[in-house]
Amino acid sequence: MRPVDPCPSPCNRQSRSPGITHTGDRPRSIPDGPRNHQDRATGPGTRTGDRPGDRGGDRPGDRDRDRPGDRHLTDDEWAAIARRVLNATGIAPTGDPDACRWVAVRHADDHIHIVATKVRGDLRPPRNWNDFLRADKELVAIEKEYGLRQVPRGDRTAAQRPTRAEQEKARRTGNALTSREHLRTIVRTAVSAATTTEEFFRLVEGAGALLDVQYFPSGDVRGYKVALADDTNAQGEPVWFSGSTLAADLSYPKIAKRLTVHDATPAERTEAPAWQRLAVAVDRTPDHLADSEDQAGQAHIAVLAEALDALPLVAPVGLQAQLMQAAAAFERAGRSRVRAHHQQAQATRRAVKAILRVAPPRDGALLATVLDALLLAVIAAQYWHRTRDYTQQAEAARQATEYLRVAYRAAAAEPLAVVHHRGRLLARPLLERQAAAVHQALPDLAEQILAEPAWPTLAATLNEATTAGHDPAALLTQAARHRELDTAANLTEVLTWRLRRLPDLAVEKPPHDRTTGRVQPGPATPMPRPTRPGSLPRNR
């Protein structure tokens, strides 16, 4: 159901279309004819946007239409809906004899058109400020009262969409993305990699964007704007975008707050390698989302978005496309009306930034472990949004899981095959020992696990744990207690990755793990470059 988008100027021509019109209580037929170009619409079952016009979410449509599966409303019901929407918008308040004149046209079973003047009978303009949101609120009530399908609605936190002019310009220049979208990706990736605002600015410049930093008279940073060198206006000047016009969470104050919290929070002392820390931290995200307050939950989801933004920088070339698509899809899920308490998710944020400052893992199993944890965390974020009726964010998270699942399968194929082969070579006594551990820890699931084709993979993992001095039965109990297994399609694969994410079972220990060195970019993105001391970029 879409809110009314009033005519931009008084509509002096009557809307002509076959069917039934309502100008009051009496319906009447009108002849066929051309559609009025100022015709706008609203009605139950039509999807509404996150913001009107060119803001985030869906744009207002041309018709008031039922959703598939909804019953067809009668003429009287459509007339009542038209009056309610026009009353809600202030175009035609109920009982006002001088209200704007309007007409509703029904020429199909599933929708109507509404056209109205924007001059009242007393020659004053109507009081229809904020009419889009007020109409949307009324449409929510109409959907419930008439038993129609509840359609997804935004919460006004979506990133601003490219304007039509920006889209046409990108098409003319042969670019897949508009400048706004390209710059948003650059800035989001820089935020995920930077540890200070100074480094953030340098990473943005290092990605090839033009940067203009504005200052208060005191010398403090007031804000920033970015542009692409090859995107100019008619005067040949760069087309600048401030951070807040790229996305609500990319304004300088919000970026500075996130990075200041990171800088002020003491780091945990651990000898675990960066990638292992990230796998463990992300693995805890579903528990945080289930048990924490909304502000902490939103902080963990925001860090998930940062992790997805950062991974393409260090992932193998074959995985970068899917990971970039996952990050782009999850961008919408990273924000909601809940104000994030970023200090609650600093362990994960530090781990994200740390993997950009070390060499990628030599063993593909560690990357697959991280991707498996991210996939489960994004699924948990989807559930978190859905239970709070953040439908657009839930859908964005669902789309991200599809891309992540493809990336995970590609990353996990070779490591699983290697471990599986290792398991098939285990001596029978060792296999029997690990089978006994499974019976001891998971008696109800043991037969199913041992019958699965991937059982040798789990057996090899348990044997590695035993060789390292761990009790395999205790590790299985810990892995099973961490999260339910009833919905797992492949128990052995799920348990294998859960075991490899346990803090006590590191799968790789590089000889030297520098977490304070330079950002290590992947070949897909030329952005983060070495950080160097010095002053902030000067205004251009």
Side-chain angles (χ1 to χ4, degrees), residues 379-414:
I379 292 173
Q382 177 187 352
Y383 177 80
W384 189 90
H385 283 306
R386 188 170 64 243
T387 56
R388 288 157 180 79
D389 292 329
Y390 298 146
T391 50
Q392 290 186 355
Q393 288 90 334
E395 173 60 19
R398 186 200 64 78
Q399 293 176 11
T401 62
E402 299 300 321
Y403 297 116
L404 270 179
R405 188 171 285 111
V406 174
Y408 159 73
R409 289 297 180 191
E414 183 177 351

PDB file of all heavy atoms in Angstrom, residues 379-414:
ATOM      1  N   ILE A 379      22.380 -15.010   9.614  1.00  0.00           N
ATOM      2  CA  ILE A 379      21.067 -15.640   9.787  1.00  0.00           C
ATOM      3  C   ILE A 379      20.444 -15.200  11.113  1.00  0.00           C
ATOM      4  O   ILE A 379      19.245 -14.906  11.194  1.00  0.00           O
ATOM      5  CB  ILE A 379      21.190 -17.169   9.712  1.00  0.00           C
ATOM      6  CG1 ILE A 379      21.565 -17.598   8.291  1.00  0.00           C
ATOM      7  CG2 ILE A 379      19.896 -17.848  10.139  1.00  0.00           C
ATOM      8  CD1 ILE A 379      21.874 -19.080   8.156  1.00  0.00           C
ATOM      9  N   ALA A 380      21.257 -15.135  12.161  1.00  0.00           N
ATOM     10  CA  ALA A 380      20.756 -14.660  13.461  1.00  0.00           C
ATOM     11  C   ALA A 380      20.328 -13.199  13.381  1.00  0.00           C
ATOM     12  O   ALA A 380      19.334 -12.795  13.989  1.00  0.00           O
ATOM     13  CB  ALA A 380      21.836 -14.841  14.525  1.00  0.00           C
ATOM     14  N   ALA A 381      21.070 -12.385  12.612  1.00  0.00           N
ATOM     15  CA  ALA A 381      20.684 -10.979  12.438  1.00  0.00           C
ATOM     16  C   ALA A 381      19.356 -10.876  11.691  1.00  0.00           C
ATOM     17  O   ALA A 381      18.522 -10.012  11.997  1.00  0.00           O
ATOM     18  CB  ALA A 381      21.782 -10.232  11.684  1.00  0.00           C
ATOM     19  N   GLN A 382      19.158 -11.746  10.714  1.00  0.00           N
ATOM     20  CA  GLN A 382      17.878 -11.763   9.996  1.00  0.00           C
ATOM     21  C   GLN A 382      16.734 -12.045  10.954  1.00  0.00           C
ATOM     22  O   GLN A 382      15.695 -11.370  10.934  1.00  0.00           O
ATOM     23  CB  GLN A 382      17.918 -12.829   8.895  1.00  0.00           C
ATOM     24  CG  GLN A 382      16.606 -12.974   8.130  1.00  0.00           C
ATOM     25  CD  GLN A 382      16.629 -14.148   7.162  1.00  0.00           C
ATOM     26  OE1 GLN A 382      17.674 -14.766   6.956  1.00  0.00           O
ATOM     27  NE2 GLN A 382      15.501 -14.461   6.586  1.00  0.00           N
ATOM     28  N   TYR A 383      16.909 -13.014  11.826  1.00  0.00           N
ATOM     29  CA  TYR A 383      15.868 -13.342  12.816  1.00  0.00           C
ATOM     30  C   TYR A 383      15.656 -12.175  13.774  1.00  0.00           C
ATOM     31  O   TYR A 383      14.516 -11.842  14.131  1.00  0.00           O
ATOM     32  CB  TYR A 383      16.269 -14.600  13.573  1.00  0.00           C
ATOM     33  CG  TYR A 383      15.302 -14.992  14.666  1.00  0.00           C
ATOM     34  CD1 TYR A 383      14.120 -15.663  14.362  1.00  0.00           C
ATOM     35  CD2 TYR A 383      15.559 -14.678  15.997  1.00  0.00           C
ATOM     36  CE1 TYR A 383      13.228 -16.014  15.356  1.00  0.00           C
ATOM     37  CE2 TYR A 383      14.673 -15.026  16.997  1.00  0.00           C
ATOM     38  CZ  TYR A 383      13.510 -15.693  16.673  1.00  0.00           C
ATOM     39  OH  TYR A 383      12.622 -16.030  17.673  1.00  0.00           O
ATOM     40  N   TRP A 384      16.758 -11.535  14.194  1.00  0.00           N
ATOM     41  CA  TRP A 384      16.661 -10.396  15.127  1.00  0.00           C
ATOM     42  C   TRP A 384      15.828  -9.282  14.511  1.00  0.00           C
ATOM     43  O   TRP A 384      14.960  -8.711  15.166  1.00  0.00           O
ATOM     44  CB  TRP A 384      18.081  -9.908  15.444  1.00  0.00           C
ATOM     45  CG  TRP A 384      18.191  -8.904  16.538  1.00  0.00           C
ATOM     46  CD1 TRP A 384      18.362  -9.133  17.865  1.00  0.00           C
ATOM     47  CD2 TRP A 384      18.170  -7.465  16.399  1.00  0.00           C
ATOM     48  NE1 TRP A 384      18.448  -7.957  18.565  1.00  0.00           N
ATOM     49  CE2 TRP A 384      18.337  -6.920  17.693  1.00  0.00           C
ATOM     50  CE3 TRP A 384      18.033  -6.610  15.320  1.00  0.00           C
ATOM     51  CZ2 TRP A 384      18.370  -5.545  17.911  1.00  0.00           C
ATOM     52  CZ3 TRP A 384      18.059  -5.241  15.550  1.00  0.00           C
ATOM     53  CH2 TRP A 384      18.229  -4.720  16.824  1.00  0.00           C
ATOM     54  N   HIS A 385      16.081  -8.964  13.253  1.00  0.00           N
ATOM     55  CA  HIS A 385      15.313  -7.913  12.585  1.00  0.00           C
ATOM     56  C   HIS A 385      13.855  -8.328  12.384  1.00  0.00           C
ATOM     57  O   HIS A 385      12.938  -7.521  12.579  1.00  0.00           O
ATOM     58  CB  HIS A 385      15.945  -7.593  11.230  1.00  0.00           C
ATOM     59  CG  HIS A 385      17.175  -6.742  11.320  1.00  0.00           C
ATOM     60  ND1 HIS A 385      17.196  -5.532  11.983  1.00  0.00           N
ATOM     61  CD2 HIS A 385      18.427  -6.912  10.809  1.00  0.00           C
ATOM     62  CE1 HIS A 385      18.400  -4.993  11.881  1.00  0.00           C
ATOM     63  NE2 HIS A 385      19.166  -5.816  11.184  1.00  0.00           N
ATOM     64  N   ARG A 386      13.643  -9.575  12.001  1.00  0.00           N
ATOM     65  CA  ARG A 386      12.282 -10.018  11.722  1.00  0.00           C
ATOM     66  C   ARG A 386      11.409  -9.985  12.977  1.00  0.00           C
ATOM     67  O   ARG A 386      10.243  -9.606  12.915  1.00  0.00           O
ATOM     68  CB  ARG A 386      12.305 -11.425  11.116  1.00  0.00           C
ATOM     69  CG  ARG A 386      10.933 -11.893  10.625  1.00  0.00           C
ATOM     70  CD  ARG A 386      11.016 -13.168   9.818  1.00  0.00           C
ATOM     71  NE  ARG A 386      11.503 -14.269  10.633  1.00  0.00           N
ATOM     72  CZ  ARG A 386      12.633 -14.917  10.420  1.00  0.00           C
ATOM     73  NH1 ARG A 386      13.418 -14.560   9.419  1.00  0.00           N
ATOM     74  NH2 ARG A 386      13.009 -15.921  11.197  1.00  0.00           N
ATOM     75  N   THR A 387      11.966 -10.364  14.116  1.00  0.00           N
ATOM     76  CA  THR A 387      11.179 -10.358  15.356  1.00  0.00           C
ATOM     77  C   THR A 387      10.864  -8.946  15.830  1.00  0.00           C
ATOM     78  O   THR A 387       9.988  -8.770  16.675  1.00  0.00           O
ATOM     79  CB  THR A 387      11.927 -11.108  16.468  1.00  0.00           C
ATOM     80  OG1 THR A 387      13.227 -10.534  16.648  1.00  0.00           O
ATOM     81  CG2 THR A 387      12.051 -12.590  16.126  1.00  0.00           C
ATOM     82  N   ARG A 388      11.544  -7.965  15.301  1.00  0.00           N
ATOM     83  CA  ARG A 388      11.273  -6.568  15.658  1.00  0.00           C
ATOM     84  C   ARG A 388      10.566  -5.815  14.535  1.00  0.00           C
ATOM     85  O   ARG A 388      10.469  -4.593  14.569  1.00  0.00           O
ATOM     86  CB  ARG A 388      12.586  -5.877  16.021  1.00  0.00           C
ATOM     87  CG  ARG A 388      13.139  -6.344  17.365  1.00  0.00           C
ATOM     88  CD  ARG A 388      14.631  -6.135  17.494  1.00  0.00           C
ATOM     89  NE  ARG A 388      15.110  -6.601  18.788  1.00  0.00           N
ATOM     90  CZ  ARG A 388      15.331  -7.881  19.085  1.00  0.00           C
ATOM     91  NH1 ARG A 388      15.129  -8.807  18.179  1.00  0.00           N
ATOM     92  NH2 ARG A 388      15.756  -8.224  20.287  1.00  0.00           N
ATOM     93  N   ASP A 389      10.093  -6.556  13.547  1.00  0.00           N
ATOM     94  CA  ASP A 389       9.340  -6.000  12.420  1.00  0.00           C
ATOM     95  C   ASP A 389      10.168  -5.042  11.579  1.00  0.00           C
ATOM     96  O   ASP A 389       9.621  -4.132  10.945  1.00  0.00           O
ATOM     97  CB  ASP A 389       8.063  -5.293  12.914  1.00  0.00           C
ATOM     98  CG  ASP A 389       7.047  -6.274  13.475  1.00  0.00           C
ATOM     99  OD1 ASP A 389       7.006  -7.425  12.987  1.00  0.00           O
ATOM    100  OD2 ASP A 389       6.309  -5.900  14.400  1.00  0.00           O
ATOM    101  N   TYR A 390      11.480  -5.226  11.542  1.00  0.00           N
ATOM    102  CA  TYR A 390      12.331  -4.466  10.623  1.00  0.00           C
ATOM    103  C   TYR A 390      12.414  -5.270   9.333  1.00  0.00           C
ATOM    104  O   TYR A 390      13.399  -5.962   9.052  1.00  0.00           O
ATOM    105  CB  TYR A 390      13.719  -4.240  11.220  1.00  0.00           C
ATOM    106  CG  TYR A 390      13.726  -3.440  12.499  1.00  0.00           C
ATOM    107  CD1 TYR A 390      14.641  -3.687  13.509  1.00  0.00           C
ATOM    108  CD2 TYR A 390      12.798  -2.421  12.703  1.00  0.00           C
ATOM    109  CE1 TYR A 390      14.652  -2.947  14.681  1.00  0.00           C
ATOM    110  CE2 TYR A 390      12.790  -1.672  13.871  1.00  0.00           C
ATOM    111  CZ  TYR A 390      13.723  -1.946  14.861  1.00  0.00           C
ATOM    112  OH  TYR A 390      13.716  -1.206  16.013  1.00  0.00           O
ATOM    113  N   THR A 391      11.373  -5.178   8.540  1.00  0.00           N
ATOM    114  CA  THR A 391      11.216  -6.095   7.406  1.00  0.00           C
ATOM    115  C   THR A 391      12.250  -5.853   6.315  1.00  0.00           C
ATOM    116  O   THR A 391      12.731  -6.799   5.700  1.00  0.00           O
ATOM    117  CB  THR A 391       9.800  -5.965   6.828  1.00  0.00           C
ATOM    118  OG1 THR A 391       9.514  -4.570   6.605  1.00  0.00           O
ATOM    119  CG2 THR A 391       8.766  -6.517   7.787  1.00  0.00           C
ATOM    120  N   GLN A 392      12.578  -4.598   6.049  1.00  0.00           N
ATOM    121  CA  GLN A 392      13.577  -4.330   5.015  1.00  0.00           C
ATOM    122  C   GLN A 392      14.947  -4.844   5.436  1.00  0.00           C
ATOM    123  O   GLN A 392      15.685  -5.411   4.629  1.00  0.00           O
ATOM    124  CB  GLN A 392      13.636  -2.839   4.718  1.00  0.00           C
ATOM    125  CG  GLN A 392      12.399  -2.314   4.009  1.00  0.00           C
ATOM    126  CD  GLN A 392      12.550  -0.867   3.595  1.00  0.00           C
ATOM    127  OE1 GLN A 392      13.542  -0.213   3.903  1.00  0.00           O
ATOM    128  NE2 GLN A 392      11.557  -0.343   2.892  1.00  0.00           N
ATOM    129  N   GLN A 393      15.300  -4.652   6.703  1.00  0.00           N
ATOM    130  CA  GLN A 393      16.588  -5.150   7.179  1.00  0.00           C
ATOM    131  C   GLN A 393      16.631  -6.674   7.168  1.00  0.00           C
ATOM    132  O   GLN A 393      17.660  -7.270   6.817  1.00  0.00           O
ATOM    133  CB  GLN A 393      16.858  -4.633   8.601  1.00  0.00           C
ATOM    134  CG  GLN A 393      17.180  -3.155   8.673  1.00  0.00           C
ATOM    135  CD  GLN A 393      15.951  -2.283   8.851  1.00  0.00           C
ATOM    136  OE1 GLN A 393      14.845  -2.658   8.460  1.00  0.00           O
ATOM    137  NE2 GLN A 393      16.123  -1.118   9.447  1.00  0.00           N
ATOM    138  N   ALA A 394      15.519  -7.306   7.540  1.00  0.00           N
ATOM    139  CA  ALA A 394      15.478  -8.765   7.528  1.00  0.00           C
ATOM    140  C   ALA A 394      15.645  -9.302   6.113  1.00  0.00           C
ATOM    141  O   ALA A 394      16.360 -10.295   5.889  1.00  0.00           O
ATOM    142  CB  ALA A 394      14.162  -9.260   8.141  1.00  0.00           C
ATOM    143  N   GLU A 395      15.016  -8.652   5.148  1.00  0.00           N
ATOM    144  CA  GLU A 395      15.147  -9.083   3.760  1.00  0.00           C
ATOM    145  C   GLU A 395      16.579  -8.864   3.262  1.00  0.00           C
ATOM    146  O   GLU A 395      17.124  -9.701   2.519  1.00  0.00           O
ATOM    147  CB  GLU A 395      14.160  -8.329   2.878  1.00  0.00           C
ATOM    148  CG  GLU A 395      14.302  -8.561   1.380  1.00  0.00           C
ATOM    149  CD  GLU A 395      14.121 -10.008   0.967  1.00  0.00           C
ATOM    150  OE1 GLU A 395      13.531 -10.788   1.748  1.00  0.00           O
ATOM    151  OE2 GLU A 395      14.566 -10.371  -0.138  1.00  0.00           O
ATOM    152  N   ALA A 396      17.196  -7.758   3.666  1.00  0.00           N
ATOM    153  CA  ALA A 396      18.588  -7.513   3.268  1.00  0.00           C
ATOM    154  C   ALA A 396      19.507  -8.586   3.835  1.00  0.00           C
ATOM    155  O   ALA A 396      20.418  -9.073   3.143  1.00  0.00           O
ATOM    156  CB  ALA A 396      19.030  -6.131   3.737  1.00  0.00           C
ATOM    157  N   ALA A 397      19.282  -8.972   5.091  1.00  0.00           N
ATOM    158  CA  ALA A 397      20.096 -10.029   5.688  1.00  0.00           C
ATOM    159  C   ALA A 397      19.871 -11.355   4.970  1.00  0.00           C
ATOM    160  O   ALA A 397      20.817 -12.133   4.772  1.00  0.00           O
ATOM    161  CB  ALA A 397      19.776 -10.162   7.176  1.00  0.00           C
ATOM    162  N   ARG A 398      18.638 -11.619   4.585  1.00  0.00           N
ATOM    163  CA  ARG A 398      18.355 -12.868   3.862  1.00  0.00           C
ATOM    164  C   ARG A 398      19.117 -12.904   2.533  1.00  0.00           C
ATOM    165  O   ARG A 398      19.689 -13.942   2.160  1.00  0.00           O
ATOM    166  CB  ARG A 398      16.855 -13.000   3.600  1.00  0.00           C
ATOM    167  CG  ARG A 398      16.463 -14.341   2.983  1.00  0.00           C
ATOM    168  CD  ARG A 398      15.120 -14.283   2.308  1.00  0.00           C
ATOM    169  NE  ARG A 398      15.117 -13.358   1.177  1.00  0.00           N
ATOM    170  CZ  ARG A 398      15.633 -13.656  -0.015  1.00  0.00           C
ATOM    171  NH1 ARG A 398      16.216 -14.822  -0.233  1.00  0.00           N
ATOM    172  NH2 ARG A 398      15.598 -12.764  -0.995  1.00  0.00           N
ATOM    173  N   GLN A 399      19.127 -11.796   1.827  1.00  0.00           N
ATOM    174  CA  GLN A 399      19.862 -11.753   0.565  1.00  0.00           C
ATOM    175  C   GLN A 399      21.358 -11.958   0.797  1.00  0.00           C
ATOM    176  O   GLN A 399      22.030 -12.639   0.021  1.00  0.00           O
ATOM    177  CB  GLN A 399      19.611 -10.417  -0.134  1.00  0.00           C
ATOM    178  CG  GLN A 399      18.174 -10.225  -0.605  1.00  0.00           C
ATOM    179  CD  GLN A 399      17.954  -8.847  -1.204  1.00  0.00           C
ATOM    180  OE1 GLN A 399      18.901  -8.103  -1.457  1.00  0.00           O
ATOM    181  NE2 GLN A 399      16.701  -8.491  -1.418  1.00  0.00           N
ATOM    182  N   ALA A 400      21.872 -11.369   1.869  1.00  0.00           N
ATOM    183  CA  ALA A 400      23.300 -11.522   2.167  1.00  0.00           C
ATOM    184  C   ALA A 400      23.650 -12.980   2.441  1.00  0.00           C
ATOM    185  O   ALA A 400      24.738 -13.447   2.076  1.00  0.00           O
ATOM    186  CB  ALA A 400      23.691 -10.648   3.355  1.00  0.00           C
ATOM    187  N   THR A 401      22.742 -13.729   3.090  1.00  0.00           N
ATOM    188  CA  THR A 401      23.032 -15.133   3.378  1.00  0.00           C
ATOM    189  C   THR A 401      23.198 -15.940   2.092  1.00  0.00           C
ATOM    190  O   THR A 401      23.998 -16.891   2.054  1.00  0.00           O
ATOM    191  CB  THR A 401      21.918 -15.770   4.234  1.00  0.00           C
ATOM    192  OG1 THR A 401      20.678 -15.734   3.518  1.00  0.00           O
ATOM    193  CG2 THR A 401      21.775 -15.050   5.565  1.00  0.00           C
ATOM    194  N   GLU A 402      22.465 -15.575   1.051  1.00  0.00           N
ATOM    195  CA  GLU A 402      22.573 -16.314  -0.199  1.00  0.00           C
ATOM    196  C   GLU A 402      23.981 -16.167  -0.793  1.00  0.00           C
ATOM    197  O   GLU A 402      24.587 -17.134  -1.246  1.00  0.00           O
ATOM    198  CB  GLU A 402      21.522 -15.827  -1.198  1.00  0.00           C
ATOM    199  CG  GLU A 402      20.089 -16.003  -0.723  1.00  0.00           C
ATOM    200  CD  GLU A 402      19.748 -17.453  -0.438  1.00  0.00           C
ATOM    201  OE1 GLU A 402      20.201 -18.327  -1.204  1.00  0.00           O
ATOM    202  OE2 GLU A 402      19.046 -17.715   0.557  1.00  0.00           O
ATOM    203  N   TYR A 403      24.491 -14.952  -0.804  1.00  0.00           N
ATOM    204  CA  TYR A 403      25.841 -14.739  -1.319  1.00  0.00           C
ATOM    205  C   TYR A 403      26.892 -15.372  -0.403  1.00  0.00           C
ATOM    206  O   TYR A 403      27.878 -15.960  -0.875  1.00  0.00           O
ATOM    207  CB  TYR A 403      26.121 -13.247  -1.473  1.00  0.00           C
ATOM    208  CG  TYR A 403      25.230 -12.557  -2.474  1.00  0.00           C
ATOM    209  CD1 TYR A 403      24.341 -11.562  -2.086  1.00  0.00           C
ATOM    210  CD2 TYR A 403      25.279 -12.885  -3.826  1.00  0.00           C
ATOM    211  CE1 TYR A 403      23.524 -10.926  -3.005  1.00  0.00           C
ATOM    212  CE2 TYR A 403      24.473 -12.261  -4.748  1.00  0.00           C
ATOM    213  CZ  TYR A 403      23.590 -11.282  -4.333  1.00  0.00           C
ATOM    214  OH  TYR A 403      22.786 -10.660  -5.245  1.00  0.00           O
ATOM    215  N   LEU A 404      26.693 -15.246   0.905  1.00  0.00           N
ATOM    216  CA  LEU A 404      27.647 -15.825   1.841  1.00  0.00           C
ATOM    217  C   LEU A 404      27.689 -17.344   1.726  1.00  0.00           C
ATOM    218  O   LEU A 404      28.756 -17.961   1.839  1.00  0.00           O
ATOM    219  CB  LEU A 404      27.285 -15.425   3.278  1.00  0.00           C
ATOM    220  CG  LEU A 404      27.892 -14.139   3.824  1.00  0.00           C
ATOM    221  CD1 LEU A 404      27.414 -13.893   5.234  1.00  0.00           C
ATOM    222  CD2 LEU A 404      29.416 -14.214   3.789  1.00  0.00           C
ATOM    223  N   ARG A 405      26.528 -17.953   1.513  1.00  0.00           N
ATOM    224  CA  ARG A 405      26.481 -19.417   1.414  1.00  0.00           C
ATOM    225  C   ARG A 405      27.287 -19.891   0.207  1.00  0.00           C
ATOM    226  O   ARG A 405      27.999 -20.890   0.286  1.00  0.00           O
ATOM    227  CB  ARG A 405      25.026 -19.887   1.340  1.00  0.00           C
ATOM    228  CG  ARG A 405      24.867 -21.393   1.422  1.00  0.00           C
ATOM    229  CD  ARG A 405      23.418 -21.798   1.553  1.00  0.00           C
ATOM    230  NE  ARG A 405      22.907 -21.555   2.895  1.00  0.00           N
ATOM    231  CZ  ARG A 405      22.013 -20.629   3.210  1.00  0.00           C
ATOM    232  NH1 ARG A 405      21.535 -19.839   2.270  1.00  0.00           N
ATOM    233  NH2 ARG A 405      21.606 -20.485   4.448  1.00  0.00           N
ATOM    234  N   VAL A 406      27.180 -19.165  -0.894  1.00  0.00           N
ATOM    235  CA  VAL A 406      27.961 -19.528  -2.079  1.00  0.00           C
ATOM    236  C   VAL A 406      29.454 -19.374  -1.800  1.00  0.00           C
ATOM    237  O   VAL A 406      30.267 -20.251  -2.149  1.00  0.00           O
ATOM    238  CB  VAL A 406      27.545 -18.661  -3.285  1.00  0.00           C
ATOM    239  CG1 VAL A 406      28.447 -18.914  -4.480  1.00  0.00           C
ATOM    240  CG2 VAL A 406      26.092 -18.934  -3.656  1.00  0.00           C
ATOM    241  N   ALA A 407      29.834 -18.276  -1.155  1.00  0.00           N
ATOM    242  CA  ALA A 407      31.249 -18.060  -0.836  1.00  0.00           C
ATOM    243  C   ALA A 407      31.759 -19.115   0.128  1.00  0.00           C
ATOM    244  O   ALA A 407      32.884 -19.626  -0.014  1.00  0.00           O
ATOM    245  CB  ALA A 407      31.437 -16.659  -0.251  1.00  0.00           C
ATOM    246  N   TYR A 408      30.941 -19.456   1.127  1.00  0.00           N
ATOM    247  CA  TYR A 408      31.361 -20.471   2.094  1.00  0.00           C
ATOM    248  C   TYR A 408      31.567 -21.820   1.414  1.00  0.00           C
ATOM    249  O   TYR A 408      32.573 -22.505   1.656  1.00  0.00           O
ATOM    250  CB  TYR A 408      30.317 -20.593   3.207  1.00  0.00           C
ATOM    251  CG  TYR A 408      30.402 -21.912   3.935  1.00  0.00           C
ATOM    252  CD1 TYR A 408      31.443 -22.174   4.814  1.00  0.00           C
ATOM    253  CD2 TYR A 408      29.455 -22.907   3.709  1.00  0.00           C
ATOM    254  CE1 TYR A 408      31.551 -23.393   5.461  1.00  0.00           C
ATOM    255  CE2 TYR A 408      29.542 -24.129   4.352  1.00  0.00           C
ATOM    256  CZ  TYR A 408      30.591 -24.367   5.223  1.00  0.00           C
ATOM    257  OH  TYR A 408      30.695 -25.579   5.851  1.00  0.00           O
ATOM    258  N   ARG A 409      30.634 -22.219   0.552  1.00  0.00           N
ATOM    259  CA  ARG A 409      30.775 -23.508  -0.127  1.00  0.00           C
ATOM    260  C   ARG A 409      32.055 -23.561  -0.956  1.00  0.00           C
ATOM    261  O   ARG A 409      32.760 -24.580  -0.980  1.00  0.00           O
ATOM    262  CB  ARG A 409      29.558 -23.758  -1.014  1.00  0.00           C
ATOM    263  CG  ARG A 409      28.279 -24.058  -0.242  1.00  0.00           C
ATOM    264  CD  ARG A 409      28.411 -25.328   0.543  1.00  0.00           C
ATOM    265  NE  ARG A 409      27.198 -25.638   1.297  1.00  0.00           N
ATOM    266  CZ  ARG A 409      27.135 -26.580   2.233  1.00  0.00           C
ATOM    267  NH1 ARG A 409      28.218 -27.284   2.520  1.00  0.00           N
ATOM    268  NH2 ARG A 409      26.023 -26.812   2.882  1.00  0.00           N
ATOM    269  N   ALA A 410      32.342 -22.467  -1.631  1.00  0.00           N
ATOM    270  CA  ALA A 410      33.557 -22.428  -2.444  1.00  0.00           C
ATOM    271  C   ALA A 410      34.811 -22.480  -1.574  1.00  0.00           C
ATOM    272  O   ALA A 410      35.795 -23.148  -1.919  1.00  0.00           O
ATOM    273  CB  ALA A 410      33.565 -21.167  -3.303  1.00  0.00           C
ATOM    274  N   ALA A 411      34.781 -21.767  -0.441  1.00  0.00           N
ATOM    275  CA  ALA A 411      35.955 -21.739   0.431  1.00  0.00           C
ATOM    276  C   ALA A 411      36.137 -23.049   1.190  1.00  0.00           C
ATOM    277  O   ALA A 411      37.271 -23.454   1.486  1.00  0.00           O
ATOM    278  CB  ALA A 411      35.831 -20.580   1.424  1.00  0.00           C
ATOM    279  N   ALA A 412      35.032 -23.711   1.519  1.00  0.00           N
ATOM    280  CA  ALA A 412      35.108 -24.906   2.368  1.00  0.00           C
ATOM    281  C   ALA A 412      35.379 -26.175   1.585  1.00  0.00           C
ATOM    282  O   ALA A 412      35.785 -27.189   2.176  1.00  0.00           O
ATOM    283  CB  ALA A 412      33.801 -25.057   3.157  1.00  0.00           C
ATOM    284  N   ALA A 413      35.157 -26.161   0.291  1.00  0.00           N
ATOM    285  CA  ALA A 413      35.249 -27.405  -0.493  1.00  0.00           C
ATOM    286  C   ALA A 413      36.626 -28.060  -0.350  1.00  0.00           C
ATOM    287  O   ALA A 413      36.734 -29.248  -0.015  1.00  0.00           O
ATOM    288  CB  ALA A 413      34.929 -27.117  -1.958  1.00  0.00           C
ATOM    289  N   GLU A 414      37.685 -27.308  -0.605  1.00  0.00           N
ATOM    290  CA  GLU A 414      39.025 -27.902  -0.556  1.00  0.00           C
ATOM    291  C   GLU A 414      39.446 -28.291   0.861  1.00  0.00           C
ATOM    292  O   GLU A 414      39.930 -29.416   1.074  1.00  0.00           O
ATOM    293  CB  GLU A 414      40.045 -26.947  -1.177  1.00  0.00           C
ATOM    294  CG  GLU A 414      41.450 -27.526  -1.221  1.00  0.00           C
ATOM    295  CD  GLU A 414      42.431 -26.596  -1.896  1.00  0.00           C
ATOM    296  OE1 GLU A 414      41.990 -25.586  -2.482  1.00  0.00           O
ATOM    297  OE2 GLU A 414      43.654 -26.874  -1.849  1.00  0.00           O
TER     298      GLU A 414
END
